[in-house]
Amino acid sequence: MDQRTAEPDRNYSISPVSLYGEFTLTGNPKVRCAVSLTERDLIVQRLTSAPAGRSKVALSLKDCVGCRAYRADDNADPAAYLAVYFYPLTRRWMSPGRSRHRAEHSFRVAALQDPRANLEEAEKWARAVRERAARPQSPRSDGGALSVLSRPSRMMLLVNPQSGKGQALTLYNNHIQPMLNEAGVTHTLVITERQNHARELVKEADMSQWDALVIMSGDGLLFEVINGLLERADWEEAIRTPMGILPGGSGNGLAASVHHYSGLPAPAAATMRGRDQSLHCFLSSRTSRRSLSPPRWLQQAVLQRLWPQCVWYYSRLNVGFARATRIKASLVSTEELLVSCGFLLCQGLVAHMDLVSIHLCSGLRLFSFLSMAWGFVADVDIESEKYRHVGAARFTVGTLVRLASLRVYRGRLAYLPAPEDDHSEVEGSRNDVTLRCNGQASSLDPSRDSPRPKTFHNSCHSNNSCKARGRRESAPCRSASGALAGPPDSLLPPLDQPLPGDWVVVQEEDFVLMLAMYQSHLAEDLLAAPDATPDDGVIHLFYVRAGISRAALLKLFLAMEKGAHVGANCRHMVHAKVRALRLEPLSPKGVITVDGEVVEYGPVQAEVHRGLGRLITG
């Protein structure tokens, strides 16, 4: 058979061919192709004398975001054009691993001399491709898919231009706007101008005009949006509005989690290859500080007076950093993470998302989607603000500085184990005694604990008191009537009341950190809760007791890049899956953060509400 007039190979795909045509390439009209559309693929075969296997490619429709038909500006050209936009997973150049990259396939449709007939043929193909690409190709592995956004979708896209390195608008213009246009997603861009601008906006907005709210920023802007929705009088309906996340800040924990749920490799910081190679060489060096030259990113990030202190300390740690902290080939850059999350946004699959109700000692109530932290993690998050201009590298710098002057905090902790996990805490030490509440006295009463051990405390504790911080504390979540908004908390008694008898109490002691996670990632390169899913109804509680060495703590965070800290058998770390928790800090100064935002310092308690929100997960 003449290869130039070959019929489509219907055995190439299991799905039957629904459309077939022969077109030329837009950029090269001398190349003619046979194009076949099945339920799953767009099959393109060049009509040449070469063997068929070498000239044929199957483009999976699960990687397609959109398709359009159009006429050229030249009225003398009777042809129409068909452009199909794909974002397939491809291998990285010069490094292992895969990431999504844009691929446009454009064809010239000129079977007839009638321009209108050619355009109708191209539009028929465009409709068919869009229809098949919009169908869910396979169920999600985590079973979390709930629904699909209506098409065409109307999105409000909120961008914080100051987040991260201040490049969110540039990233939007270069990546997100073209992708949404290709996908046919109608969106209105809103640039936030001040703190709580987004919160005020969604609190008063007519939500019937929008099919989804999309946030392009760090995690703080989504925190504003969620609490703004729950302050509305119609919060029960408003909180069901699907929310999408695009990474534009420093931490990008939820964006990294969404990427993780899609089954792709874990993300890392944009400058991972350059930044961490310099950092890891610096950490593994055993030479004197005079022979070390600070990497440029660290010169910019750390005040020059801090560099000698870091070199002096870390050059003396006998830790196998070179082996333990190799650059992982499967990691992706922040730009790759943005493209991945943009692609998942265009796919439009919506899942339930857990939200956590948090009560502060003043009676204020907030809702959280990512994490609550006290101690080391909160200190690094807040104190690294001064290094914001280096993006995600700020957390690495903050970690080094805080490790050099490690703090401990006195406090009391209690939690309600998740039903399927009553006895699954991962503890490295059998000396960590826990007590069950009897309900007759305050569950965290220190008089019921063993004598307080003599433990050294860093006298400075935290330099960030609530009144002196540059970040404003979050406002309460209240409805228009003034009452606390959102669903009632069935597991939490008032903060000044005893806890029920089925809670577990950790004896009063010194902590290095307490971290409560409800998504998988704390930041782009920190897989803090590897078993987490968007709607598992669980808070993943981690706490690290005092006594851990600086080297061991650093190893723990390095292991967290792959989620290996959970099985690291660190005797100072405890991990438990819980439904509610209560924390009472006893140190006079400290920092508590919720989704990376500073909140009032003092007793706090939290309860998870399973599937309260909606998240676009692709």
Side-chain angles (χ1 to χ4, degrees):
M1 178 184 294
D2 184 359
Q3 182 67 32
R4 301 184 61 86
T5 58
E7 288 298 316
D9 183 359
R10 298 177 185 272
N11 295 324
Y12 192 83
S13 175
I14 298 177
S15 302
V17 173
S18 55
L19 280 178
Y20 174 80
E22 294 186 7
F23 314 122
T24 58
L25 296 182
T26 299
N28 189 352
K30 294 183 179 180
V31 177
R32 190 168 183 82
C33 298
V35 182
S36 305
L37 179 66
T38 72
E39 292 298 311
R40 299 185 304 174
D41 303 299
L42 184 70
I43 303 172
V44 181
Q45 179 179 348
R46 289 194 178 194
L47 299 178
T48 68
S49 58
R54 298 181 182 179
S55 60
K56 181 183 293 186
V57 60
L59 306 170
S60 176
L61 293 178
K62 69 180 181 181
D63 297 325
C64 178
V65 299
C67 182
R68 73 183 183 106
Y70 62 96
R71 286 283 315 280
D73 295 334
D74 184 5
N75 292 329
D77 182 7
Y81 294 86
L82 176 70
V84 192
Y85 307 104
F86 292 86
Y87 285 81
L89 282 170
T90 59
R91 292 195 176 277
R92 299 192 190 100
W93 182 64
M94 294 185 67
S95 65
R98 299 188 302 165
S99 61
R100 293 197 181 275
H101 294 278
R102 182 180 182 274
E104 178 181 346
H105 296 268
S106 186
F107 307 96
R108 185 174 184 268
V109 182
L112 302 173
Q113 291 300 315
D114 182 1
R116 179 173 297 181
N118 288 331
L119 183 60
E120 289 177 353
E121 177 70 10
E123 288 176 340
K124 179 181 73 173
W125 274 83
R127 286 192 300 270
V129 170
R130 286 195 297 265
E131 177 188 347
R132 285 157 179 78
R135 297 173 184 171
Q137 300 294 317
S138 59
R140 289 182 58 86
S141 59
D142 60 11
L146 170 70
S147 61
V148 180
L149 282 178
S150 61
R151 304 225 178 173
S153 300
R154 303 163 301 166
M155 294 183 179
M156 180 193 293
L157 200 158
L158 298 108
V159 176
N160 177 7
Q162 304 302 322
S163 62
K165 296 182 180 180
Q167 298 177 343
L169 272 178
T170 301
L171 293 171
Y172 164 79
N173 291 326
N174 292 345
H175 296 283
I176 298 305
Q177 185 180 33
M179 185 183 294
L180 293 180
N181 290 340
E182 292 167 355
V185 175
T186 303
H187 66 284
T188 299
L189 178 66
V190 177
I191 300 175
T192 59
E193 301 172 355
R194 61 187 182 278
Q195 190 173 19
N196 283 323
H197 183 192
R199 188 174 193 155
E200 298 162 3
L201 185 65
V202 301
K203 185 177 178 180
E204 304 297 335
D206 179 6
M207 298 307 299
S208 64
Q209 297 183 10
W210 311 105
D211 298 310
L213 298 174
V214 180
I215 290 81
M216 185 168 181
S217 179
D219 297 314
L221 194 61
L222 182 57
F223 175 80
E224 289 187 19
V225 168
I226 287 174
N227 283 278
L229 292 174
L230 285 163
E231 289 171 359
R232 296 170 58 102
D234 62 341
W235 65 265
E236 291 182 86
E237 183 67 24
I239 198 60
R240 295 191 181 98
T241 304
M243 291 173 282
I245 186 71
L246 297 169
S250 301
N252 303 320
L254 184 61
S257 298
V258 170
H259 177 88
H260 174 73
Y261 301 145
S262 70
L264 295 178
T271 55
M272 174 61 76
R273 282 183 286 272
R275 183 200 76 188
D276 281 2
Q277 281 176 349
S278 298
L279 173 63
H280 293 158
C281 290
F282 147 57
L283 289 176
S284 59
S285 174
R286 305 302 302 276
T287 62
S288 68
R289 65 182 182 184
R290 290 186 179 87
S291 65
L292 288 173
S293 176
R296 181 172 298 176
W297 70 268
L298 198 51
Q299 292 181 35
Q300 297 172 347
V302 184
L303 299 176
Q304 284 294 331
R305 65 178 180 269
L306 293 179
W307 173 255
Q309 179 187 15
C310 292
V311 174
W312 178 88
Y313 181 75
Y314 289 105
S315 65
R316 285 157 176 76
L317 282 181
N318 185 17
V319 184
F321 289 114
R323 295 187 301 273
T325 63
R326 291 191 303 268
I327 304 302
K328 291 168 287 300
S330 62
L331 297 178
V332 302
S333 70
T334 295
E335 190 169 289
E336 291 172 349
L337 175 62
L338 178 63
V339 172
S340 174
C341 289
F343 172 80
L344 296 173
L345 178 66
C346 293
Q347 296 294 96
L349 292 181
V350 181
H352 288 282
M353 176 175 65
D354 295 341
L355 296 178
V356 172
S357 169
I358 296 178
H359 293 260
L360 307 178
C361 58
S362 63
L364 304 186
R365 188 190 191 198
L366 304 170
F367 281 86
S368 168
F369 66 91
L370 182 67
S371 67
M372 181 172 68
W374 172 60
F376 184 87
V377 173
D379 291 347
V380 169
D381 192 7
I382 302 307
E383 293 173 8
S384 64
E385 280 286 328
K386 62 177 70 74
Y387 314 129
R388 175 174 287 275
H389 62 282
V390 298
R394 58 175 271 218
F395 299 111
T396 304
V397 177
T399 299
L400 296 179
V401 173
R402 185 46 41 227
L403 276 170
S405 181
L406 190 61
R407 300 168 181 160
V408 294
Y409 296 89
R410 194 77 179 175
R412 295 192 288 262
L413 179 66
Y415 57 87
L416 177 65
E420 67 278 9
D421 197 45
D422 284 353
H423 305 288
S424 64
E425 303 96 61
V426 180
E427 302 184 36
S429 172
R430 297 185 179 181
N431 296 325
D432 180 39
V433 181
T434 58
L435 303 175
R436 294 281 178 171
C437 302
N438 58 15
Q440 298 176 356
S442 174
S443 60
L444 302 184
D445 186 350
S447 64
R448 300 185 59 83
D449 295 334
S450 58
R452 182 169 171 170
K454 296 181 180 180
T455 306
F456 171 77
H457 290 256
N458 188 324
S459 59
C460 69
H461 289 287
S462 173
N463 296 325
N464 298 288
S465 64
C466 289
K467 295 181 180 180
R469 293 184 194 108
R471 274 180 163 181
R472 287 190 301 169
E473 294 177 358
S474 302
C477 187
R478 293 182 182 273
S479 66
S481 64
L484 290 177
D489 295 312
S490 60
L491 304 176
L492 297 177
L495 266 170
D496 59 350
Q497 297 297 315
L499 292 169
D502 52 351
W503 284 56
V504 174
V505 179
V506 181
Q507 287 187 335
E508 177 185 330
E509 61 177 299
D510 295 324
F511 296 89
V512 171
L513 67 87
M514 187 283 298
L515 176 64
M517 292 291 306
Y518 357 114
Q519 303 293 339
S520 64
H521 281 71
L522 180 62
E524 290 182 26
D525 55 353
L526 288 179
L527 181 53
D531 296 333
T533 59
D535 62 340
D536 55 11
V538 166
I539 299 173
H540 296 261
L541 175 64
F542 300 87
Y543 61 90
V544 176
R545 300 184 299 270
I548 188 172
S549 67
R550 291 170 173 83
L553 185 60
L554 182 56
K555 278 186 173 181
L556 203 60
F557 275 88
L558 291 172
M560 194 180 291
E561 291 184 0
K562 285 187 174 181
H565 61 293
V566 176
N569 295 322
C570 175
R571 66 186 184 89
H572 293 92
M573 188 190 77
V574 178
H575 169 219
K577 296 180 181 180
V578 307
R579 297 174 62 196
L581 64 90
R582 177 182 288 184
L583 170 69
E584 291 187 22
L586 300 179
S587 295
K589 293 182 179 180
V591 177
I592 296 176
T593 59
V594 173
D595 298 344
E597 301 298 308
V598 178
V599 298
E600 178 184 3
Y601 186 69
V604 61
Q605 60 184 8
E607 175 184 336
V608 63
H609 291 268
R610 185 169 190 174
L612 179 59
R614 302 292 184 270
L615 179 66
I616 301 174
T617 61

